[in-house]
Amino acid sequence: MNFNLPEELQMLKQTIRQFVDRELIPIEMHSQQNNDLKPDIRDRLEKKTKEMGLWMFDVPEEYEGAGLGSLAQVVVWEEMCRTIALPSRGRGIFGPEIRPILYALNDEQKKRFLYPILHSGKELCFMQTEPDAGADPGSMKTRAVRQGDFYIVNGTKRFITGAEKADFGQLMAVTDPAKGSHGGISCFLIDMKSPGLKITATYKTMMGEEPCEVVLDDVKVPVENLVGKEGEGFKLAQRWLGIGRLKHGARALGVAERCIEMGSRYAKQRVTFGKPLSERQGISFKLADSYVELHAARLMVYQAAWKNDQQEDIRTEAYMAKMFADEMSFRVVDRVLQIHGGIGLTLDLPLAKWFMDQRSRMITEGASEVMRMVIARHVLQKYV
Ligand SMILES: Cc1cc2nc3c(=O)[nH]c(=O)nc-3n(C[C@H](O)[C@H](O)[C@H](O)COP(=O)(O)OP(=O)(O)OC[C@H]3O[C@@H](n4cnc5c(N)ncnc54)[C@H](O)[C@@H]3O)c2cc1C
């Protein structure tokens, strides 16, 4: 049993760390104030990621990506997320954001949706949540009823990130109410300019994201836009859940590591009552606890990624790693923010943004309770 990263991944980690330290951390507060990277800076950084061979690092080679394995992807995400300078969605400096379901499209669908997203800057939003169906998407009500060569879709989707600028939507809708989440929900790709589709509200959130409410009123979706077979919507989504969860876990590792670096430096430099903060146990123990928890989370995320690379089933490990890493990183941000006192609350440091972001991760991208439900099901089945 060898817990060390293979040599080539240690080098990859080092390369990205240097890139983040030299190119991104120096501009991160500027990017926070402007809510994004300036186009000329983005172009310069994009050129560098191409030179490093990391353009589309998470896209398989058959689609002209770098095709990194799961453990390598985790290493890249972890190091990248030591900064807030990265655009959170859309075309980032490492390439476009690709929802893996796009790899399940047939050849004709790939021409219409996958390649324009990969190569022509088109964007996709994910439309699952509804006013009465969030953590429990199986209770969704949006209906898609087949009529000849079309499905007629009616319903309301809520909290859809990027709906206002997306070209396409990955829409989850009920095709067989009797079967519900057991084969009654299908996945479609739709044109966001379809007649009958309207953005009816925008929600301002504490993280700065502004997800939308989208109403679908007799929207006609061609049958060729169905992904896979009717009723396969959830089954298809499951195929990539593991690596998606690990991505969130890896991000939490990067955030926690940078916070610990910042907390340690600040505690050594800040003097109160005649001594540096680092000489007070009330402060240094916060760093010790954070470091221990980060180490545990990293082992969980790396192990699950390694197992995924061996083609093993990682559903439970991925849920455990995501849940533990996200909750860990929120505790770490909170402690390090406390170490920084008032300056930690200002927008001159990335801590306040991470505090909001990491808090939201326990709800928006797989709520902690849902993770616990899945893990509990596994435990109860295992120990009969
Ligand atoms: C900024 C933002 C961006 C988003 N982007 C998207 C997007 O792009 N596409 C999309 O489809 N959705 C998106 N969402 C929706 C997000 O996925 C949901 O908010 C999330 O799934 C929780 O659903 P809910 O808000 O309806 O909470 P609810 O389902 O009402 O749950 C409320 C609380 O109860 C907990 N809970 C629920 N059931 C149980 C149970 N059985 N036992 C114990 N606890 C339980 C939940 O975990 C949660 O903490 C976004 C949300 C936000 C805020």
Side-chain angles (χ1 to χ4, degrees):
M1 192 182 255
N2 181 354
F3 286 95
N4 291 324
L5 276 180
E7 207 175 315
E8 70 275 13
L9 293 195
Q10 289 182 32
M11 280 163 58
L12 176 66
K13 197 170 167 58
Q14 198 54 34
T15 306
I16 303 187
R17 177 158 291 227
Q18 280 174 4
F19 172 68
V20 168
D21 283 344
R22 286 182 194 157
E23 307 282 348
L24 296 176
I25 290 180
I27 57 164
E28 69 181 356
M29 297 325 298
H30 184 266
S31 86
Q32 168 158 285
Q33 275 142 22
N34 290 290
N35 235 344
D36 211 340
L37 294 173
K38 280 178 158 176
D40 57 322
I41 298 179
R42 184 189 287 240
D43 290 349
R44 182 170 56 80
L45 294 171
E46 195 176 298
K47 202 165 152 247
K48 293 211 167 164
T49 59
K50 285 182 178 157
E51 284 163 11
M52 290 192 292
L54 289 172
W55 181 249
M56 301 205 289
F57 68 87
D58 51 350
V59 173
E61 281 172 318
E62 61 182 300
Y63 303 111
E64 298 172 40
L68 296 190
S70 306
L71 186 55
Q73 287 187 34
V74 155
V75 165
V76 179
W77 280 317
E78 176 186 7
E79 290 300 325
M80 272 160 51
C81 293
R82 287 177 54 252
T83 177
I84 57 167
L86 291 166
S88 54
R89 64 174 311 280
R91 191 182 172 87
I93 59 170
F94 289 87
E97 186 183 9
I98 303 291
R99 296 193 71 82
I101 193 124
L102 294 168
Y103 304 133
L105 303 184
N106 61 35
D107 289 346
E108 190 272 331
Q109 290 173 329
K110 280 182 188 160
K111 277 189 209 141
R112 288 166 58 215
F113 301 107
L114 173 63
Y115 298 124
I117 295 172
L118 277 172
H119 304 301
S120 312
K122 299 284 182 200
E123 290 188 21
L124 176 75
C125 64
F126 176 55
M127 305 169 75
Q128 175 166 282
T129 303
E130 299 184 359
D132 294 319
D136 174 21
S139 61
M140 71 175 63
K141 295 193 184 76
T142 295
R143 277 285 271 136
V145 179
R146 176 99 188 237
Q147 275 183 18
D149 293 339
F150 293 91
Y151 284 89
I152 307 298
V153 181
N154 282 286
T156 300
K157 294 289 173 183
R158 191 166 75 162
F159 293 147
I160 307 306
T161 305
E164 74 291 0
K165 59 180 182 134
D167 302 280
F168 315 122
Q170 178 189 335
L171 172 77
M172 308 301 284
V174 180
T175 39
D176 185 343
K179 291 189 182 151
S181 56
H182 303 284
I185 293 177
S186 301
C187 174
F188 301 88
L189 288 179
I190 61 165
D191 185 336
M192 291 301 283
K193 296 204 174 58
S194 303
L197 186 154
K198 269 201 209 101
I199 293 185
T200 44
T202 301
Y203 297 86
K204 289 195 183 297
T205 64
M206 64 181 196
M207 304 79 72
E209 285 170 31
E210 298 194 1
C212 306
E213 179 178 83
V214 182
V215 169
L216 300 125
D217 183 9
D218 281 338
V219 173
K220 278 174 90 175
V221 179
V223 284
E224 332 46 288
N225 289 24
L226 175 70
V227 183
K229 297 197 184 87
E230 204 176 272
E232 265 188 358
F234 276 0
K235 207 172 103 195
L236 282 170
Q238 293 283 330
R239 266 171 52 192
W240 290 280
L241 262 188
I243 187 70
R245 300 284 179 235
L246 293 184
K247 180 177 177 178
H248 300 313
R251 177 186 50 215
L253 301 180
V255 170
E257 164 120 26
R258 174 86 188 288
C259 285
I260 297 172
E261 290 166 44
M262 290 177 64
S264 172
R265 283 196 197 113
Y266 190 77
K268 280 186 274 186
Q269 152 221 319
R270 180 77 175 167
V271 175
T272 64
F273 303 96
K275 269 190 189 176
L277 287 175
S278 56
E279 291 181 25
R280 315 281 180 189
Q281 282 189 349
I283 297 292
S284 63
F285 281 15
K286 287 192 198 331
L287 292 170
D289 288 344
S290 299
Y291 194 63
V292 172
E293 290 178 31
L294 169 61
H295 181 61
R298 184 176 282 129
L299 288 175
M300 290 173 81
V301 174
Y302 280 19
Q303 188 264 354
W306 175 85
K307 225 176 142 181
N308 203 39
D309 283 336
Q310 317 307 310
Q311 318 297 331
E312 291 181 41
D313 182 353
I314 58 156
R315 266 170 299 177
T316 309
E317 274 102 338
Y319 275 81
M320 294 195 300
K322 190 266 176 203
M323 185 191 88
F324 186 77
D326 265 344
E327 294 185 357
M328 172 281 300
S329 72
F330 181 66
R331 288 192 294 275
V332 172
V333 177
D334 186 37
R335 291 182 192 123
V336 171
L337 204 152
Q338 189 69 19
I339 292 175
H340 280 77
I343 194 78
L345 297 170
T346 68
L347 300 184
D348 292 349
L349 296 178
L351 296 170
K353 171 152 178 54
W354 276 326
F355 185 80
M356 308 278 206
D357 279 356
Q358 292 314 112
R359 182 65 191 82
S360 78
R361 305 297 178 201
M362 292 179 250
I363 296 176
T364 59
E365 285 158 7
S368 286
E369 291 81 1
V370 177
M371 303 286 121
R372 282 187 170 79
M373 277 163 57
V374 175
I375 299 163
R377 207 177 301 141
H378 173 80
V379 175
L380 295 168
Q381 274 168 7
K382 181 169 178 178
Y383 300 103
V384 278

